[in-house]
Amino acid sequence: ACGFALPLWCAAQADWPNKPIHFIVPFAAGGANDLMGRAAAEGAGKALGQTVVVDNRPGAGGSLGASLVAKSAPDGYTFLISAAGTISNTMIKASVPYKDEDLLPVALIALAPSMIVVPHTSKHQNLKDFIEASKRGNGFNFATAGSGSTPHFVAEILNVKYGAKLQPDPYKSGSESTTAVMGGQVEGTSEASIIALPHILHDGKFKALATTWTQRLSAYPQLPTAIEQGYPEVRIAHWAGVHAPKGTPPEIMDKVAAAVDQAMKDPAITQRLKSVGIEPMGGSRADFVRFTQDERKRLGEIVRMAKMKDN
């Protein structure tokens, strides 16, 4: 890439990174995306020998932070801690301040599988009970964190693929929908493992019916996956990755991917993530490109079948 036209740029690239790198988290501190982003920043900073600063820029369901990164200089110093919404927002929202191609996939950090949960007083013992019961009468209300959120996708996958009768009930945030389930205002929800686990293991306010990723949770291995229970299409997680502004040099993206992969092999970091229900991932840049393509295809199909739209 270093031809005669770009001597300055090549010199800059050669000593990259020579100043702090910024990871923009498009959500508030303390959530799953933020925790995964911070773990990646800590580990990648060590691997690259440079400080990685985490900036929280919440707003517009993650679109605010994403558009900020999409408009940043592609010089290898600003990256987005992406989430499922980075892919699905453009399918669902009437207008998003960036295009899909403005952000390039760099690395998968980790994922927090969803857990399908009901109030602890619920009579449903497993996912089949819950789905079959929803088909009788007027169906069930299923709390979501808004249009296009992971719980919204879980409800629509169960509806369009398995004939469940779940009415998505949008709340402003995961914590509000959690409270609604505990209080019995809705029949169930799907929530990130990191949020749901304390209410299953510690205060007993949730009963878990299934986890929604391809393997069981390290922190709660007794809970079967939806796939094991006969629902193979229920495969979704709250994942966090790294995306770069379009135009970022491939060499730099490869180095960041390798640094994140190394971070996700650091025993201190992986143990901390697993203990709260997060599964470290890592892998190469090509792996994450494939992952995002697969997600886009699967989620896009659900958006079309369920006619999901953000009003």
Side-chain angles (χ1 to χ4, degrees), residues 227-297:
I227 295 171
E228 288 174 88
Q229 295 183 57
Y231 301 97
E233 303 274 356
V234 182
R235 179 156 77 87
I236 195 163
H238 299 253
W239 54 264
V242 178
H243 271 69
K246 185 174 74 180
T248 302
E251 300 85 349
I252 287 179
M253 293 195 286
D254 286 337
K255 282 178 185 165
V256 171
V260 169
D261 183 55
Q262 199 175 320
M264 292 303 115
K265 292 184 170 75
D266 177 327
I269 290 175
T270 55
Q271 205 31 58
R272 193 168 75 221
L273 291 175
K274 282 183 174 175
S275 70
V276 294
I278 292 173
E279 306 294 343
M281 299 300 284
S284 69
R285 181 157 68 99
D287 292 335
F288 189 43
V289 169
R290 270 194 300 276
F291 175 88
T292 54
Q293 285 166 343
D294 179 45
E295 287 280 289
R296 201 179 291 278
K297 196 165 134 221

Side-chain angles (χ1 to χ4, degrees), residues 83-274:
T86 310
I87 285 173
S88 59
N89 279 346
T90 51
M91 301 175 189
I92 292 167
K93 293 180 185 292
S95 70
V96 175
Y98 61 91
K99 295 191 194 68
D100 285 332
E101 57 270 20
D102 292 341
L103 292 164
L104 304 177
V106 177
L108 180 59
I109 300 169
L111 49 86
S114 288
M115 301 175 85
I116 298 171
V117 294
V118 292
H120 70 102
T121 50
S122 169
K123 56 187 186 301
H124 311 301
Q125 296 305 321
N126 55 44
L127 189 53
K128 188 171 200 292
D129 280 0
F130 182 74
I131 291 171
E132 293 308 313
S134 80
K135 294 177 182 178
R136 300 191 282 273
N138 297 327
F140 288 166
N141 286 324
F142 197 84
T144 76
S147 287
S149 60
T150 303
H152 186 192
F153 272 104
V154 170
E156 298 295 13
I157 292 168
L158 294 173
N159 288 343
V160 301
K161 297 286 188 180
Y162 301 109
K165 228 153 90 184
L166 304 177
Q167 180 55 48
D169 195 346
Y171 285 79
K172 282 199 182 68
S173 67
S175 58
E176 283 187 24
S177 58
T178 301
T179 310
V181 177
M182 290 175 185
Q185 283 103 347
V186 293
E187 277 85 359
T189 190
S190 141
E191 193 42 272
S193 48
I194 178 172
I195 310 286
L197 271 174
H199 301 304
I200 293 161
L201 298 174
H202 304 313
D203 63 23
K205 290 187 173 161
F206 273 170
K207 183 197 287 186
L209 303 181
T211 172
T212 66
W213 195 240
T214 49
Q215 63 273 337
R216 294 187 182 200
L217 269 172
S218 304
Y220 192 58
Q222 57 271 57
L223 180 66
T225 64
I227 295 171
E228 288 174 88
Q229 295 183 57
Y231 301 97
E233 303 274 356
V234 182
R235 179 156 77 87
I236 195 163
H238 299 253
W239 54 264
V242 178
H243 271 69
K246 185 174 74 180
T248 302
E251 300 85 349
I252 287 179
M253 293 195 286
D254 286 337
K255 282 178 185 165
V256 171
V260 169
D261 183 55
Q262 199 175 320
M264 292 303 115
K265 292 184 170 75
D266 177 327
I269 290 175
T270 55
Q271 205 31 58
R272 193 168 75 221
L273 291 175
K274 282 183 174 175

